Amino acid sequence: MITNPSRRGFLATLVAIGLICCSSLQALAAETDPLPSWNEGPTKQSIIDFVSRVTDKSGPDYVAPPERIATFDNDGTLWVEQPLYTQFVFALDRVKALAPKHPEWKTTQPFQAVLEGDAKAIAAAGEKGIVQIITATHSGMSTTDFNKIVADWLATAKHPRFKRAYTDLVYQPMLELLAYLRANDFKTFIVSGGGQEFMRVFADETYGVPPEQVVGSTGATAWQMWDASPVLIKMPKVDFVDDGPGKPVGINKFIGRRPIFAFGNSDGDKEMLEWTAASDGLRFMGLVHHTDPVREYAYDRDSEIGRLDKALDEAVAKGWTITDMKNDWKTIFPAEKTSP
Amino acid sequence: MITNPSRRGFLATLVAIGLICCSSLQALAAETDPLPSWNEGPTKQSIIDFVSRVTDKSGPDYVAPPERIATFDNDGTLWVEQPLYTQFVFALDRVKALAPKHPEWKTTQPFQAVLEGDAKAIAAAGEKGIVQIITATHSGMSTTDFNKIVADWLATAKHPRFKRAYTDLVYQPMLELLAYLRANDFKTFIVSGGGQEFMRVFADETYGVPPEQVVGSTGATAWQMWDASPVLIKMPKVDFVDDGPGKPVGINKFIGRRPIFAFGNSDGDKEMLEWTAASDGLRFMGLVHHTDPVREYAYDRDSEIGRLDKALDEAVAKGWTITDMKNDWKTIFPAEKTSP
């Protein structure tokens, strides 16, 4: 029973101040949490601890900005790779689009299998078949034309399960991690088994990683003059495979420095993580473990796509950071943009 | 006959003010001239005009900073390449250093010729001989060990004519140009026929170009485990030759964007300059023409090293910027550091 009006006024003021303080503190917390889509816990903490230590000028683990090289795998680490690698979906779509110009494909494997939607026959064609599909669809045009073909495809293709553009199916927590590292003067690179030129079409806009910081598998290109104008033509020949032991080779070739921070999700990233771990000083080795069948996918040791087996054992044995997607990530994908 | 002391005082003050103004203006001019080692004239002006136009946000030639890619050849464009490419001098020195471990070299060409100092026989071994000398001296060790071998050699080797370290024999006007471009938000790359790993050892300290912005010829490397520790071993196999048509191929592979500014000095740079010229918008194509036998060297159409013939004709025909070393450059090399 508060009857004294001035006392009531005083209390109201206190409550008001309390409310303002609370919301300011919340705003401040949201502002200063660089990884809001990561649940609190040891995974998030290991990232923040690492960044704090290598950027602390007075600490023993300080690393000068130019040496702050961070490398990220792409498929399954930055964006969805199930049920098929996005670039392979693109290649299958290109086989269908190009089929009218290649009547022989109707009776030639693995193209016949693609045109008939015969997944079993595609699988039976094995790695040789995959290379045939990739080279047939990724060559015979200029680099400029290829970029346009990829951009057009990405603008319209939708993921079969999520019904969203593939460039929307990137992991929100990893976008925040990329931005957090860059805010701390890291240079972020993609080091992926995927096609370098394919990724460069969207990596800048999607991840904030410019073309010159995208390392991937490459095909041969040839310098030619077309109508007295120079072009680079994509040739049906694999030049470099940036996977497994190819990742440290690619890092040495394209970057020329060793990462101090590396993130992957499959056995194809094992050597990149070992290469990162094997130099002096504090180093961060991270894996995304796909454990969330409801919001994304759950797969590891037995998956044909993004198999995580030996690298998982090694991560456990060596204490690398394993991200449990289901428990460590508050959200998986960026919110869908509402139509205007 | 000035007798009025106050008038004398007034004049003295005027003179003093004049002197102060003059020296301030001089200081200001020196401060604002980004290319003090370039003589005034059309060459210098063409550089400054280009940079002004592509950085003028309100002008028609504006280029956004991420697209401000500048590529420079190294040998003969940024440092001396006569009488022999520096890296080849390094390789010859390595043959001598490694000879005790290779008794067979005493009787095997081209190594015998190197050990006997027989320039004629080395020349007779031709391109095949050069590749043999390069691969024999640039393989069989880890990338880390190779870097140390190069750094040790650069620290002691002297140029036969100038008696200075090779990393001192860089062109002061080009150092200023690199810095000027970077101050205007250009990203500067080296794109050279020289060995990528060789150049990366000194490019950061010497030119301010970090390893990840050095593109050059590469040898194959192999991932191996030595004492349970991963190493990259340099193999005796050429992986990529970044010269001639290889330069645009290398630019596409390693940078993934097309330069808007490119500088070379020989026919090996022709395709890089053509590739730069062939895209839309204002573009800068520059050549260093070695015309100064007194302060450096004079050579072009008939030189075995750094031949400038077809690219010179094309530069004249297309109005590219040709730097006349003798007339355009006030100084050639940075001043020698005086011993402490």
Side-chain angles (χ1 to χ4, degrees), chain B residues 168-180:
Chain B
D168 284 349
L169 298 175
V170 294
Y171 305 130
Q172 175 65 24
M174 296 305 274
L175 296 183
E176 292 166 8
L177 176 54
L178 287 166
Y180 173 52

Side-chain angles (χ1 to χ4, degrees), chain B residues 196-255:
Chain B
Q196 187 168 274
E197 294 197 88
F198 182 83
M199 293 185 288
R200 281 174 173 169
V201 174
F202 63 90
D204 201 357
E205 195 183 324
T206 304
Y207 303 129
V209 178
E212 63 270 26
Q213 286 161 228
V214 175
V215 176
S217 297
T218 57
T221 61
W223 168 263
Q224 294 182 7
M225 292 303 252
W226 283 11
D227 294 335
S229 231
V231 285
L232 288 174
I233 300 302
K234 289 176 69 68
M235 307 302 284
K237 184 169 173 273
V238 174
D239 171 56
F240 173 63
V241 178
D242 188 53
D243 198 36
K247 290 208 175 190
V249 168
I251 287 168
N252 182 63
K253 186 191 333 217
F254 289 90
I255 307 176

Side-chain angles (χ1 to χ4, degrees), chain A residues 42-193:
Chain A
T43 304
K44 178 174 181 172
Q45 204 51 50
S46 75
I47 295 170
I48 291 175
D49 282 350
F50 175 82
V51 172
S52 305
R53 287 168 67 183
V54 297
T55 56
D56 175 8
K57 264 199 162 166
S58 59
D61 301 314
Y62 179 72
V63 176
E67 298 291 341
R68 293 183 200 159
I69 302 292
T71 57
F72 288 82
D73 170 59
N74 184 41
D75 296 303
T77 300
L78 297 179
W79 76 354
V80 169
E81 64 182 351
Q82 296 283 2
L84 272 182
Y85 296 120
T86 304
Q87 191 175 357
F88 196 60
V89 179
F90 163 77
L92 297 180
D93 280 359
R94 290 302 298 162
V95 168
K96 290 169 205 159
L98 292 168
K101 286 186 189 170
H102 293 274
E104 75 281 10
W105 284 357
K106 276 188 195 162
T107 52
T108 321
Q109 293 299 9
F111 304 100
Q112 185 184 344
V114 175
L115 296 175
E116 294 172 358
D118 183 349
K120 218 169 166 179
I122 297 174
E127 198 174 316
K128 195 185 152 212
I130 291 171
V131 171
Q132 282 180 293
I133 292 168
I134 293 284
T135 51
T137 54
H138 286 64
S139 67
M141 73 289 279
S142 74
T143 49
T144 312
D145 287 344
F146 178 74
N147 292 350
K148 196 182 169 317
I149 291 167
V150 174
D152 289 349
W153 183 82
L154 285 171
T156 54
K158 300 275 183 203
H159 187 276
R161 173 175 160 196
F162 297 107
K163 315 291 181 206
R164 294 180 68 179
Y166 287 95
T167 47
D168 284 350
L169 298 175
V170 295
Y171 305 132
Q172 176 64 24
M174 297 305 275
L175 296 182
E176 293 167 7
L177 176 55
L178 287 165
Y180 174 51
L181 292 173
R182 289 193 290 261
N184 282 281
D185 294 326
F186 280 74
K187 208 164 180 175
T188 54
F189 288 82
I190 291 173
V191 176
S192 165

Side-chain angles (χ1 to χ4, degrees), chain B residues 17-34 36 40 330:
Chain B
I17 289 171
L19 283 175
I20 290 165
C21 282
C22 261
S23 66
S24 302
L25 282 173
Q26 276 171 349
L28 195 70
E31 244 176 51
T32 54
D33 182 355
E40 298 306 321
K330 211 171 282 179

Side-chain angles (χ1 to χ4, degrees), chain B residues 1-9 11:
Chain B
M1 298 272 180
I2 297 166
T3 50
N4 182 333
S6 77
R7 192 175 159 80
R8 228 167 46 207
L11 274 175

Side-chain angles (χ1 to χ4, degrees), chain A residues 135 138-141 219-222 224 233-238:
Chain A
T135 51
H138 286 64
S139 67
M141 73 289 279
T221 61
Q224 293 182 8
I233 300 302
K234 289 176 69 66
M235 306 302 283
K237 186 169 171 271
V238 175

Side-chain angles (χ1 to χ4, degrees), chain A residues 143 187 196-197 200 210-213 221 223 230 232 239 245 248-249 252-257 271 274-275 278, chain B residues 143 187 196-197 200 210-213 221 223 230 232 239 245 248-249 252-257 271 274-275 278:
Chain A
T143 49
K187 208 164 180 175
Q196 187 168 273
E197 294 196 88
R200 280 174 173 169
E212 61 270 27
Q213 286 162 225
T221 61
W223 168 263
L232 288 175
D239 171 55
V249 168
N252 182 63
K253 185 190 333 216
F254 289 90
I255 308 176
R257 302 195 208 244
E271 286 84 356
E274 288 170 348
W275 183 239
Chain B
T143 49
K187 208 164 181 176
Q196 187 168 274
E197 294 197 88
R200 281 174 173 169
E212 63 270 26
Q213 286 161 228
T221 61
W223 168 263
L232 288 174
D239 171 56
V249 168
N252 182 63
K253 186 191 333 217
F254 289 90
I255 307 176
R257 300 195 208 245
E271 286 84 356
E274 288 171 348
W275 184 238

